[in-house]
Amino acid sequence: MAITINSSRDNADDKTIFFTIAHDGKDYKWHGDIPKDADAQAYLDAKSDTLKAEILRKQYSEAVVPQLDGKSALESFEAWVSAGAKNAEVSKEIPAVEAKDAVYEDVETEPVIDAKDAVMGERQVVVVTEVDEEVTKTVIEKNASGKYIEKEVTETVTKSSEEPQFEEVPLYHANGKAKKDDDGNAVMHKIPKMEAYEIEPAVEAKEAVTEKRLVSEAVTAVAKKTLIIQPEATIEKKAWVDSH
């Protein structure tokens, strides 16, 4: 490969070299920027392999070239062209999925209830008596002619009364003998009449209530397969376009 410098242009920080590359029986006109103080011919000659690779890159712009072990970028590209200029198939292996049964767990929705006896208390018996009474009161009402009339109205009112109950028991002397009155009758003593009542009702024992809840769904088995992401493709060589 021979590189011929055609012209150059000084820039503020570097210089642009316009050159022709004679390679493989063809001339390729190109240009590029190099350091301002560099010798143009020596600089470009040192990059001859890079320039060859870039020519191929422009001609095969869609190429996907694998880097071969122990080979340069240019050698890898040339090997790719010699092999038919084909981009390799890109695929992805989808691993097999193993079948699994659904998994359930027992969840307690209602806790166990221990049996408990009723809590009882004691209180004095009270008899509630309801009595209807007629109550007369004076009211003032407006009559049909628009006059306010004072009159007495009698109505029945139900009143209730509570009467604690007692019972009589014989009274004894300190020595344990029954106490008698002058007529020989037993002397009685009144004490409150008591009754038992329920403070808290009894609780019936119950077993815990559970239900099965889904933890993970069943999985259907799927065989291993290969997904083609990009099929093998032959890349068409594009015509070189001179840059100057």
Side-chain angles (χ1 to χ4, degrees):
M1 184 180 84
I3 300 175
T4 302
I5 296 175
N6 303 121
S7 63
S8 64
R9 181 185 66 217
D10 288 335
N11 305 317
D13 300 318
D14 54 25
K15 57 185 175 182
T16 301
I17 305 300
F18 298 89
F19 54 93
T20 300
I21 301 172
H23 173 57
D24 199 21
K26 296 181 181 180
D27 289 340
Y28 301 89
K29 293 184 177 181
W30 208 356
H31 70 276
D33 296 331
I34 68 172
K36 206 163 193 173
D37 58 353
D39 179 273
Q41 190 65 57
Y43 186 91
L44 294 176
D45 286 343
K47 291 186 173 292
S48 59
D49 283 356
T50 300
L51 293 173
K52 289 179 185 178
E54 286 302 317
I55 289 173
L56 292 175
R57 176 62 60 190
K58 288 184 177 294
Q59 291 175 320
Y60 299 94
S61 59
E62 298 176 2
V64 179
V65 180
Q67 180 62 47
L68 302 177
D69 291 339
K71 299 293 183 179
S72 66
L74 174 61
E75 290 170 332
S76 297
F77 213 135
E78 288 175 337
W80 178 85
V81 174
S82 298
K86 294 180 179 181
N87 284 346
E89 176 184 277
V90 179
S91 63
K92 179 181 180 181
E93 185 177 283
I94 308 299
V97 177
E98 183 180 353
K100 291 183 181 180
D101 294 331
V103 178
Y104 293 86
E105 66 177 358
D106 290 329
V107 179
E108 186 177 87
T109 57
E110 295 180 24
V112 64
I113 298 177
D114 296 327
K116 289 183 181 180
D117 294 331
V119 178
M120 304 300 292
E122 192 177 41
R123 64 190 176 191
Q124 187 175 7
V125 177
V126 176
V127 174
V128 179
T129 304
E130 292 187 346
V131 179
D132 290 338
E133 295 182 358
E134 288 189 346
V135 178
T136 301
K137 61 181 180 180
T138 301
V139 298
I140 298 175
E141 294 181 349
K142 186 178 182 181
N143 64 13
S145 62
K147 295 180 180 180
Y148 289 90
I149 306 300
E150 182 181 83
K151 64 180 182 178
E152 290 186 344
V153 177
T154 300
E155 59 185 7
T156 301
V157 178
T158 300
K159 293 185 178 181
S160 62
S161 63
E162 295 183 353
E163 183 179 356
Q165 300 297 296
F166 295 87
E167 59 183 344
E168 290 185 336
V169 295
L171 192 61
Y172 293 84
H173 290 288
N175 60 9
K177 291 184 179 182
K179 191 172 182 178
K180 306 281 186 179
D181 60 14
D182 294 339
D183 296 327
N185 298 318
V187 176
M188 305 301 288
H189 173 67
K190 283 186 176 183
I191 62 172
K193 184 178 182 179
M194 305 302 288
E195 66 176 356
Y197 73 99
E198 189 177 77
I199 299 174
E200 293 181 13
V203 177
E204 183 181 351
K206 288 186 179 181
E207 297 292 334
V209 178
T210 61
E211 67 177 25
K212 290 190 177 295
R213 290 185 183 173
L214 182 65
V215 176
S216 58
E217 295 183 350
V219 177
T220 303
V222 178
K224 180 179 71 173
K225 60 183 178 181
T226 300
L227 176 65
I228 305 300
I229 300 173
Q230 182 70 47
E232 181 183 77
T234 300
I235 304 304
E236 183 180 353
K237 183 179 180 180
K238 295 179 182 179
W240 174 265
V241 178
D242 289 334
S243 66
H244 67 90

